[in-house]
């Protein structure tokens, strides 16, 4: 890992009626539009989708690093995340995130250790640590 701080630059471009094109160095452009709930077409990634996707993505990447550091063998991790957008006083914001993780491990794995590392991953995720909303983890570990 490179020394901190890290800096990430994303550029968003649009015309008065176009979808938004998101770009960052070395990555294919991504088209974004408002979600259907805000009158958008509902057929492109939205800022809301991208934020919730970042929660799920970061959880898996964090778990991968923590599991490797702790010598935990695993075969698959599926993670879904749900973000709740609501009013908090006068502002509209995400008020909660629910992370549902299903970890598959080889036979003979210390199940308690696997659960603890999933919990540690939720607590260590830099995306959820950067948000003000409550985060709930529902973790399940199964043997393949």
């Amino acid at each position: 890992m490179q020394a901190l701080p890290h800096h990430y630059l994303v550029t968003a471009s649009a015309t008065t009626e176009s979808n938004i094109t998101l770009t960052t160095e070395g990555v294919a452009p991504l088209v974004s539009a408002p979600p259907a709930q805000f009158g958008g077409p509902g057929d492109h990634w939205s800022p809301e989708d991208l934020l919730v996707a970042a929660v799920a993505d970061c959880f898996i990447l964090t778990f991968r690093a923590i599991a490797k550091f702790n010598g935990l063998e695993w075969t698959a991790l599926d993670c879904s995340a749900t973000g709740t957008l609501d009013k908090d006083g006068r502002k509209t914001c995400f008020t909660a995130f629910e992370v549902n993780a299903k970890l598959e491990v080889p036979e003979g794995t210390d199940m308690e250790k696997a659960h603890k590392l999933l919990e540690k991953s939720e607590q260590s995720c830099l995306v959820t640590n950067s948000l003000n909303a409550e985060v709930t983890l529902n973790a399940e570990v199964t043997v393949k």
Side-chain angles (χ1 to χ4, degrees):
M1 184 171 98
Q2 296 176 358
L4 296 172
H6 299 172
H7 301 278
Y8 301 90
L9 173 64
V10 174
T11 301
S13 302
T15 63
T16 57
E17 296 296 321
S18 73
N19 290 327
I20 295 87
T21 300
L22 305 170
T23 57
T24 190
E25 188 176 331
V27 179
L30 179 67
V31 176
S32 172
Q37 296 90 333
F38 284 106
D43 61 353
H44 288 81
W45 285 92
S46 71
E48 296 82 1
D49 294 326
L50 291 168
L51 179 60
V52 177
V55 168
D57 190 16
C58 187
F59 178 82
I60 289 179
L61 292 173
T62 302
F63 178 78
R64 183 184 287 168
I66 288 172
K68 183 176 183 177
F69 180 81
N70 285 277
L72 179 75
E73 290 189 33
W74 57 285
T75 53
L77 176 55
D78 290 320
C79 178
S80 66
T82 303
T84 301
L85 187 70
D86 204 350
K87 285 282 195 184
D88 182 12
R90 293 178 49 205
K91 64 181 180 176
T92 303
C93 61
F94 280 94
T95 57
F97 291 90
E98 183 176 322
V99 177
N100 295 293
K102 293 184 180 182
L103 177 65
E104 193 174 275
V105 297
E107 194 168 326
T109 298
D110 180 341
M111 302 295 266
E112 185 177 336
K113 179 179 180 180
H115 275 282
K116 285 183 180 177
L117 295 183
L118 286 166
E119 291 169 7
K120 184 174 183 179
S121 298
E122 186 275 314
Q123 296 163 0
S124 302
C125 174
L126 69 90
V127 170
T128 56
N129 284 341
S130 300
L131 302 171
N132 288 328
E134 179 183 332
V135 179
T136 303
L137 171 66
N138 300 308
E140 176 184 332
V141 180
T142 59
V143 175
K144 181 175 181 179

